[in-house]
Amino acid sequence: MQPTAFTCRAQEARQRQLATDAPLPNVRDVAFIAAAAWQKEALAAEKREAREVATRLHRIEASLERTTEDRGLSENPDRGFADRPVLRALG
């Protein structure tokens, strides 16, 4: 399982806080390196999440196009609308 961008940003902030609170210079250095690593992982997670959203939208659009095309080829194109939910404006 890959961490989300939110988790990575939280870990980055935690490591930066540890670095500022650390009395020893070597602990500070390691915490700053860890914060930089979490920052890189957050950027990768943001790209990954953006791709997932784009893929979902593409799949939804493709499925809508397929259902429209299938109805056009049917002998009874109105039959396909029976299974779709009816969206009514409330008001």
Side-chain angles (χ1 to χ4, degrees):
M1 187 169 145
Q2 296 177 336
T4 63
F6 180 78
T7 302
C8 293
R9 295 292 181 195
Q11 288 297 323
E12 177 190 358
R14 180 179 178 272
Q15 291 297 327
R16 290 199 188 280
Q17 186 64 39
L18 287 173
T20 56
D21 294 343
L24 301 173
N26 61 335
V27 174
R28 224 179 334 217
D29 293 341
V30 170
F32 276 127
I33 291 169
W38 279 111
Q39 183 180 21
K40 287 175 75 174
E41 185 63 31
L43 293 173
E46 288 170 352
K47 289 179 184 178
R48 185 173 53 246
E49 290 168 2
R51 278 193 314 266
E52 288 174 5
V53 169
T55 301
R56 286 182 188 160
L57 289 176
H58 179 71
R59 286 180 182 165
I60 290 170
E61 289 173 356
S63 68
L64 289 175
E65 287 175 5
R66 268 186 269 129
T67 56
T68 305
E69 291 171 2
D70 292 343
R71 288 189 183 129
L73 299 173
S74 174
E75 291 178 11
N76 188 1
D78 293 337
R79 185 169 189 265
F81 292 106
D83 62 346
R84 285 191 137 181
V86 178
L87 301 176
R88 296 182 184 142
L90 300 174

